[in-house]
Amino acid sequence: MKPIKIVALTLALFAGSTPLHAATDALLTEESVIGTVNGREIRLSDIEDQKINELRIQLHNALQEAFIQHAVTQLGANSADYKPAAPAQITDEQVTTFYQQNNLQSRGSLEQLGPMIREYMEGMAKARSDIQIYQRAAIKGDITTRLIKPKEMLLNLPVASAFVRGNQKADVMVMEFSDYQCPFCKRAQGTIKDLIEQYGDRVAFGYRHFPLAFHKEADDAAFAVECARDQGGFEAMHEILFDQSDLSRGNLKEIAKQINLKDLEQFNSCLDKDQYADRIANDMAAGQSVGISGTPGFIIGYYNPDNGSLEGELISGAQPANVFIAAIEKYLQGR
């Protein structure tokens, strides 16, 4: 069941009992009074958590999309000024370019994904046309809306012991939580490298560990990269681990030789003693506290290097580069 349907079902269940006129109003804001307890007004902000905020945003987006489609259809039926454009004709070349630029090879062949890509591109072209008509009508006063997008609740996360690449004083950070045995985490590494190159000193990139329980060697891999970190070898080992099928302790010690750590005895002792078990456990707890349950997970937002805190939003999974770029650009523009 999609989240939007969950919201609709919840509202429907309540509708037959206690009235929720204020809570279902399109003008509902964080300061809206949703009820009273012992005569004291309770505002939405008193009870809203991250999940409720996400559902409210999803509901708003669904309502806005439906309203735009409805409004454009009504306008087109009643005025020649708002006639919709002819359906976009997506060429085979455009489909192929989309397939290649979004690195979809690992998700299926062009023959398999081509029809879905074409349908998606046609839908996006239709949506762009609808928005252009909607904006023209809004400027002329032929459309008004009372929908107000909820403010996003930003997550707060201490950077703590994260390994940080890039400008340590940047105002924006991408914090990654990953697992060295996770194929989706491996897929995300190319995107992260591209982003590091694209944004240079404007964005810091942090890394914290989130080894999943069913990946039996992921803990050892996390221990190993932290032991290598003691000798300045974090990035060298980090780069190699995602391409390894064997993350046993014996092979991890061989990798330490490959990256030319100066003190192999120290590394081996560190690994054998699980020296950084507490650090990995703290990373896991921090990730869980901001809603990460799988890998990879990313928190993107404002970074305060003075107190080592990150305030931002959660992006789950190995998303296309444009998803990360949209979030990064939003925070680079400032509060």
Side-chain angles (χ1 to χ4, degrees), residues 217-229:
E217 295 176 335
D219 281 330
D220 285 347
F223 297 157
V225 80
E226 291 299 327
C227 291
R229 181 177 178 178

Side-chain angles (χ1 to χ4, degrees), residues 1-28 34 44 47 52 55-60 62-63 147:
M1 181 178 289
K2 295 182 179 179
I4 188 66
K5 292 184 179 179
I6 294 174
V7 174
L9 176 60
T10 302
L11 295 178
L13 288 172
F14 276 105
S17 54
T18 305
L20 285 181
H21 305 302
T24 58
D25 193 286
L27 292 174
L28 183 68
I34 60 172
L44 177 59
I47 66 166
I52 293 173
L55 291 172
R56 289 179 62 222
I57 291 173
Q58 289 171 7
L59 176 59
H60 168 272
L63 288 170
L147 293 171

Side-chain angles (χ1 to χ4, degrees), residues 162-171 173 201 203-205 303-306:
F163 183 80
V164 180
R165 291 173 283 181
N167 181 7
Q168 306 284 321
K169 298 293 185 180
D171 294 328
M173 176 178 282
D201 289 341
V203 177
F205 291 82
Y303 174 44
N304 185 336
D306 294 330

Side-chain angles (χ1 to χ4, degrees), residues 141-205:
D142 292 333
I143 288 178
T144 62
T145 178
R146 297 179 65 198
L147 293 171
I148 299 175
K149 186 171 184 177
K151 295 179 182 178
E152 290 183 355
M153 288 185 68
L154 297 183
L155 302 164
N156 288 287
L157 175 74
V159 172
S161 60
F163 183 80
V164 180
R165 291 173 283 181
N167 181 7
Q168 306 284 321
K169 298 293 185 180
D171 294 328
V172 173
M173 176 178 282
V174 176
M175 177 66 75
E176 176 183 0
F177 285 83
S178 272
D179 170 324
Y180 288 110
Q181 276 191 287
C182 164
F184 301 103
C185 299
K186 176 181 177 180
R187 182 188 300 168
Q189 297 313 300
T191 300
I192 295 300
K193 289 179 185 177
D194 290 344
L195 292 173
I196 290 174
E197 182 176 348
Q198 177 176 345
Y199 284 100
D201 289 341
R202 292 192 292 161
V203 177
F205 291 82

Side-chain angles (χ1 to χ4, degrees), residues 3 39 46 92-93 99 119 125 130 147 207 246 249 255 285 300 324:
D46 293 327
D92 292 342
E93 182 180 358
Y99 176 80
E119 181 180 356
D130 285 352
L147 293 171
Y207 185 93
D246 179 5
R249 293 204 170 193
I255 293 172
I300 300 178
F324 292 95

Side-chain angles (χ1 to χ4, degrees), residues 39 46 70 90 97-98 133 141 179 185 192 215 259 306:
D46 293 327
H70 179 79
I90 305 300
T97 299
F98 184 95
I133 293 173
D179 170 324
C185 299
I192 295 300
H215 288 157
I259 64 173
D306 294 330

